[in-house]
Amino acid sequence: MIAVGGYEGERVAILGLGRSGLSAARALAAGGARPVLWDDNPDARARAEGEGFELRDLGREGAFADVVALVTSPGIPHLYPAPNPMIAAAWEAGVPVDNDIGLFFRALGQGAWDDLDTPPRVVAVTGSNGKSTTSALIHHVLESAGRPAQLAGNIGRGVLDIDPPGEAGVIVLELSSYQTDLARALTPDIAVFTNLTPDHLDRHGGLGGYFAAKRRLFAEGGPDRAIIGVDEPEGRSLANQLSTAPSDDRVIRVSSGAKLSGPGWQVFARKGYLAEWRKGRQVGAIDLREIRGLPGAHNHQNACAAYAACRALGLGPRQIEAGFRSFEGLPHRSQIVAEANGVTFVNDSKATNVDSALKALMAFDRVRWICGGLMKEGGLSALAPGLEHVVKAYVIGREAAGFALELSGVEAETCTHMETAVARAVAEAEPGETVLLAPAAASFDQYDNFEKRGEDFATRVRAAVG
């Protein structure tokens, strides 16, 4: 656990008692604070009370009279689409609002690491797509190279639940826009921006607010190195804002598909080959085409970002390549779950939006595509470039028939349930084809979350192919 100091003897309110809320309460208590906790869910309150924490209804009059700070869970809206009433009450009382990420960076700055020969370093990864894979890949490469590393944030352990880092330790954080938007301290040593596509727009008041939440990771703390995906205008703008000259190698630009040039530091992938250029010459390269855990252009972008982060941490190209080759990928993200009779079965249940599903489709040549679910705003027209790779679509979800009608020019069978879709795809797939679950939709019409959907797919595939 990372103990959070600076609040000794003071009351700090905690709103929201999921993983991050309870973790923050424990960390504050360990640092000498007196946490008071609240959640609208009585079961969550009972769990907190069972751990000996004091409960306080933060919605009642005067609840913040003796409170010096409020720590809120990332999932609770603090501005858009409307402020949570308890957060608004904290504002009215002049009480600073923070989250567990802000507490983490605050605690790290107060830690007793000055005596270490090599102090710990923090790599923070944000972006719309690929941040989980990028974070896990950085962590995996570090561990495979013998560097002590921990993975936390949106993936792995809660950020305050990790062990205090030791000599030369590296903490890799995956951070969502919900986390970066509110944290009062954001001071990573290396910050990574993967890409930007529309998501969570209601929570951030539009695309500009969403980008601004991501940008805070770079603007608030001034990382030593900024690794920026420049395949979208927002990334190019951010890289330009952070650079002081074309040769400024504190900014590492990364791309999947575009050859980058100039006197600075670039890492890019084209036609399956990763190349690192610095000061106008190539200094490293990796053939990504046969690395099974990183299929497709979207994963090549992840590989470029992870490569750049590991290079900034002092690893050599061959060390990084060895780590790439042993990386098996993350569950539900381009995860190979079976191979039988020349057919590959891939679980990309995390592809809950059109952009993610398109990238998954583009990664394979002949696809038997299992898709459908709770369709998001905007329709499916943006999938058009990937539909050329689809042999046939097998549509699931409560509104499968309507979803299938959106797939213009593709043979689509309305299956409704995963069991039927997997059975039909297995029966019809031919050698050289890929049966791909990439729903392009949320899971909540039939499953609790995308993980449950992916597990259902994997279980039925393995049962069908033996």
Side-chain angles (χ1 to χ4, degrees):
M1 178 197 298
I2 303 291
V4 177
Y7 296 108
E8 290 80 0
E10 302 280 7
R11 290 194 182 277
V12 178
I14 312 287
L15 176 60
L17 301 179
R19 183 181 72 167
S20 69
L22 283 175
S23 175
R26 297 181 195 113
L28 285 161
R34 300 165 62 195
V36 291
L37 283 60
W38 187 254
D39 193 297
D40 290 337
N41 186 323
D43 292 336
R45 296 199 299 269
R47 287 193 296 270
E49 199 167 28
E51 290 193 33
F53 288 114
E54 178 184 347
L55 299 179
R56 177 184 293 185
D57 183 354
L58 298 177
R60 67 173 171 79
E61 185 76 22
F64 291 97
D66 60 347
V67 168
V68 299
L70 170 65
V71 177
T72 182
S73 294
I76 298 174
H78 67 95
L79 188 56
Y80 301 112
N84 178 279
M86 298 179 201
I87 293 176
W91 294 347
E92 291 295 323
V95 173
V97 181
D98 204 348
N99 62 16
D100 63 326
I101 303 302
L103 293 182
F104 165 79
F105 281 110
R106 175 190 176 104
L108 207 64
Q110 299 168 340
W113 289 283
D114 290 341
D115 296 334
L116 299 177
D117 291 333
T118 307
R121 303 184 76 185
V122 178
V123 180
V125 181
T126 196
S128 296
N129 297 310
K131 56 185 179 291
S132 294
T133 296
T134 300
S135 302
L137 183 56
I138 295 168
H139 177 254
H140 175 80
V141 171
L142 289 168
E143 287 202 321
S144 69
R147 293 280 296 271
Q150 299 183 76
L151 182 63
N154 245 17
I155 187 173
R157 299 162 73 183
V159 69
L160 293 169
D161 288 331
I162 66 172
D163 301 322
E167 185 72 34
V170 180
I171 301 164
V172 184
L173 302 181
E174 179 201 338
L175 300 181
S176 72
S177 60
Y178 292 4
Q179 293 168 312
T180 59
D181 196 20
L182 191 59
R184 296 179 72 88
L186 284 169
T187 55
D189 298 282
I190 298 169
V192 180
F193 175 84
T194 58
N195 51 55
L196 192 85
T197 58
D199 207 357
H200 308 304
L201 300 188
D202 59 335
R203 174 65 183 267
H204 297 292
L207 185 60
Y210 177 50
F211 177 49
K214 301 287 188 185
R215 186 181 177 279
R216 289 192 76 245
L217 182 62
F218 303 85
E220 295 296 315
D224 296 334
R225 299 277 186 193
I227 297 161
I228 310 294
V230 295
D231 289 332
E232 294 88 29
E234 291 86 357
R236 294 191 288 274
S237 172
L238 180 59
N240 183 270
Q241 291 172 0
L242 296 173
S243 300
T244 58
S247 59
D248 186 355
D249 65 2
R250 294 173 303 170
V251 176
I252 308 174
R253 292 167 170 82
V254 303
S255 174
S256 175
K259 181 178 180 179
L260 304 179
S261 60
W265 195 348
Q266 299 99 17
V267 180
F268 58 89
R270 294 184 72 204
K271 299 180 179 179
Y273 288 91
L274 180 152
E276 176 191 6
W277 284 70
R278 195 170 186 181
K279 297 180 179 179
R281 64 185 185 90
Q282 186 169 331
V283 295
I286 298 176
D287 183 351
L288 300 173
R289 295 174 300 172
E290 300 304 321
I291 297 179
R292 290 172 55 80
L294 296 167
H298 60 307
N299 275 310
H300 294 174
Q301 183 184 58
N302 300 335
C304 288
Y307 177 98
C310 291
R311 290 288 279 143
L313 289 167
L315 271 63
R318 298 286 74 82
Q319 289 177 293
I320 299 171
E321 181 175 1
F324 281 6
R325 292 194 178 279
S326 59
F327 182 68
E328 295 182 354
L330 289 176
H332 318 298
R333 298 164 176 86
S334 298
Q335 176 194 18
I336 298 174
V337 297
E339 293 177 290
N341 303 317
V343 178
T344 302
F345 297 84
V346 177
N347 167 21
D348 203 340
S349 184
K350 183 63 170 65
T352 59
N353 58 44
V354 167
D355 182 71
S356 297
L358 174 60
K359 290 174 179 176
L361 289 173
M362 297 294 287
F364 306 100
D365 290 330
R366 292 179 53 80
V367 177
R368 301 268 173 185
W369 180 32
I370 298 178
C371 57
L374 193 61
M375 194 160 56
K376 297 185 176 180
E377 291 183 11
L380 305 177
S381 60
L383 285 167
L387 298 184
E388 298 176 1
H389 296 236
V390 176
V391 178
K392 183 177 177 180
Y394 305 83
V395 187
I396 62 173
R398 293 179 184 172
E399 300 178 355
F403 195 101
L405 289 174
E406 294 258 352
L407 302 176
S408 177
V410 173
E411 181 184 357
E413 180 176 341
T414 299
C415 297
T416 306
H417 299 290
M418 184 71 74
E419 180 180 12
T420 304
V422 169
R424 296 291 297 146
V426 168
E428 296 180 353
E430 299 179 358
E433 294 181 343
T434 299
V435 175
L436 170 68
L437 171 65
S443 59
F444 305 123
D445 59 334
Q446 292 183 314
Y447 300 91
D448 290 340
N449 48 53
F450 72 84
E451 292 95 343
K452 293 293 185 184
R453 178 172 58 189
E455 290 164 6
D456 189 19
F457 170 77
T459 297
R460 295 188 186 282
V461 165
R462 289 167 182 149
V465 302

